[in-house]
Amino acid sequence: MTDFTDEERRILEFLSDSVAKGERYFRAKNIAEHLGLSSKQVGVRLPKLAEKADEMDIEKWGRARSTTWKVEPS
C-alpha cells in the first residue's frame, strides 16, 4: 500500500465509507466539514489521491462554483 499522510488516510476513509453508502459525488468543502479540515486542505490532496489511491477511482468531474469529484470503487 502506498504511504499516505494522516489527512490523506482520513479523506480516503471518509470517501470509502460514503461510497459504500451509495454516494458518488463530493465537493472538497463537504468533505472538509465532516473531517474538521479546511476545504483547501482537502482540495489540494484530492488530485494527489486520484493518482495514489488504488482502492477507488477519484476523478475530477465538474466545475461550477467549486470542483465536484466523482468517486467509485476500483
Side-chain angles (χ1 to χ4, degrees):
M1 181 176 195
T2 306
D3 291 330
F4 294 106
T5 67
D6 181 53
E7 288 177 353
E8 289 173 336
R9 274 190 228 100
R10 290 175 58 203
I11 293 167
L12 285 174
E13 186 176 306
F14 173 79
L15 291 174
S16 179
D17 290 346
S18 298
V19 167
K21 295 175 187 172
E23 296 180 56
R24 294 290 185 264
Y25 299 94
F26 302 89
R27 290 209 165 133
K29 73 176 191 170
N30 297 42
I31 297 169
E33 287 174 8
H34 286 282
L35 299 178
L37 301 171
S38 73
S39 57
K40 185 173 183 172
Q41 287 174 298
V42 175
V44 166
R45 284 166 178 77
L46 284 171
K48 294 175 186 176
L49 290 172
E51 294 177 15
K52 291 175 26 175
D54 295 330
E55 60 272 9
M56 63 185 72
D57 294 324
I58 302 170
E59 176 185 352
K60 191 180 228 181
W61 187 252
R63 181 162 176 85
R65 289 182 152 189
S66 62
T67 302
T68 300
W69 296 86
K70 181 180 179 185
V71 181
E72 295 183 314
S74 290

